[in-house]
Amino acid sequence: MALNSPWRAEFPGIRALEADGQTYLDSAATAQKPQAVLDALLAYLAGGVANVHRAQHLPGERATRAFEATRSQAAQWLNALSSDEIIFTRGSTESLNLLAYGLEHLLPPGAQIVVSAAEHHANLLPWQQLAKRRGLELVILPLDQAGSIDLNEAARLIGPATCLLAITQLSNVLGRWQPVDALLALAKTQGALTVIDGAQGAVHARPDVQALGCDFYVCSAHKLYGPDGVGLLYGRSEALAKLQHWQFGGEMVLDADYQDARFRAAPLGFEAGTPAVSAVIGLGAALDWLSRLDQTAAAHEAALHAALLAGLQARPGVQVLGEPQLALACFHVEGVHNADLAHLLSEQGIAVRTGHHCAMPLIKRLGLAGATRVSLGLYNDGADLQRFFAALDNALELLR
Ligand SMILES: Cc1ncc(COP(=O)(O)O)c(C=O)c1O
């Protein structure tokens, strides 16, 4: 299992973890950062920081230029029509909460919000709570055996009362591309708003929001080899114009009096307070880094994933959840509690994730208390998988 990674050497975090005896296989939770991102962060932080959009002085102008350059880059990377369609948030979770508040006034009582059974809590709970606040119906699209949203059921469930569809592009538990195009077509026939959770999908295929034709798309920098604390909310300009403001404070205001105020349009109207300037600049470096990747990246990910699946499937009693297509695999082992397995893997320096993966309703629907997830980054190689499988075999020998 050679599967060398040409990118591994660019990740000091991987070297540091290796020196600590740790094999990192939890990139779907958060990814290590390439040197280029660390350099960009240090250059900004050590080069004299300043707040953005507020100051007339040189450092302020420089920081604002770098900050806004990332917005243009993000627009280009997502193939948005304009950088005004890009709002910086703290991450996918905040983007989705922003939408659930910002769109609330458009959803009449009795309307339906449609999500899938595969959603991460970040794309379930904001809509669930909105439904509870407004007396709406939350409709859950079921999955097929492989872990894809069932399109026949979707065609039956998405109807005239559907006002909003919010679905994941790639499940963080099942590792499958969802049939987003077909689902968006069904929703659009009903005139519903469409939201795509790209937190996992954006990492493995560059999104094209115009080709997708969605109203909103969200993702998080920290999963894209960038800094934590910043995420993107793309909104088609006509859809953004419908959003109600949700957080209030500095810089999002056009004019304020003691008793009333008027607010800016997107994007600045939705970026109240001092943003994560350094993280946004670091995200710019991450997008640069991602833009330089070629076909070899997808081929490396595919080869690693195939080796991961083959290794899991070869072990008796190991049951992979659904039929993952890329990036990750979740599994449970008959007769073994996932917490015991997690403990023994962790003792052997294997950093994988165990539990409900912030998708508790899905794990419950699968009849499990939890599952173990191995997820891959571009820096992982065949030796990482070998260490994982050796540790898994040791653990299972002890536990069974
Ligand atoms: C599919 C999916 N959606 C949303 C999120 C939330 O992302 P964040 O924690 O960066 O806000 C995650 C994080 O794991 C995810 O996997």
Side-chain angles (χ1 to χ4, degrees), residues 28-29 90-94 96 118-123 168 170-172 197-200 218-223 353 357-358 373:
R90 283 198 302 124
S92 301
T93 302
E94 188 174 85
L96 292 161
E119 300 311 319
H120 187 282
H121 294 159
N123 195 35
T168 182
L170 176 66
S171 155
N172 64 309
D197 174 0
Q200 297 293 340
V218 312
C219 57
S220 300
H222 69 98
K223 296 188 199 284
R353 174 100 181 259
H357 309 288
C358 300
R373 182 183 70 191

Side-chain angles (χ1 to χ4, degrees), residues 161-250:
T162 304
C163 282
L164 189 141
L165 170 79
I167 42 161
T168 182
Q169 196 181 16
L170 176 66
S171 155
N172 64 309
V173 176
L174 300 164
R176 284 188 77 77
W177 290 116
Q178 296 299 339
V180 167
D181 290 342
L183 291 164
L184 288 190
L186 288 170
K188 282 196 223 168
T189 308
Q190 305 298 340
L193 289 159
T194 54
V195 178
I196 297 184
D197 174 0
Q200 297 293 340
V203 184
H204 302 286
R206 183 172 172 166
D208 181 337
V209 290
Q210 288 189 66
L212 282 167
C214 54
D215 290 311
F216 300 101
Y217 184 95
V218 312
C219 57
S220 300
H222 69 98
K223 296 188 199 284
L224 290 163
Y225 304 100
D228 42 30
V230 65
L232 299 175
L233 167 57
Y234 156 82
R236 207 165 46 80
S237 55
E238 295 81 358
L240 279 182
K242 296 182 189 162
L243 276 182
Q244 203 166 246
H245 291 87
W246 82 307
Q247 284 186 343
F248 302 90

Side-chain angles (χ1 to χ4, degrees), residues 76-157:
Q76 236 182 359
W77 190 71
L78 292 167
N79 195 29
L81 269 179
S82 148
S83 55
D84 287 344
E85 295 181 321
I86 306 296
I87 296 172
F88 291 123
T89 63
R90 283 198 302 124
S92 301
T93 302
E94 188 174 85
S95 298
L96 292 161
N97 276 281
L98 185 163
L99 290 176
Y101 280 101
L103 297 171
E104 179 164 342
H105 64 293
L106 297 175
L107 307 183
Q112 288 176 344
I113 298 176
V114 177
V115 298
S116 86
E119 300 311 319
H120 187 282
H121 294 159
N123 195 35
L124 169 66
L125 303 184
W127 306 119
Q128 178 198 82
Q129 294 302 307
L130 167 59
K132 286 166 80 96
R133 281 198 304 279
R134 297 277 292 184
L136 311 177
E137 188 187 350
L138 187 68
V139 174
I140 313 294
L141 301 178
L143 309 177
D144 62 20
Q145 283 299 319
S148 292
I149 297 168
D150 184 324
L151 282 176
N152 289 328
E153 283 296 297
R156 193 176 64 75
L157 291 166

Side-chain angles (χ1 to χ4, degrees), residues 1 43 62 90 102 135 162 180-181 214 226 255 263 269 271 285 304 320 356:
M1 214 190 288
R62 276 204 298 240
R90 283 198 302 124
T162 304
V180 167
D181 290 342
C214 54
D255 185 35
F263 308 114
E271 294 175 3
L304 272 183
V320 174
H356 52 65

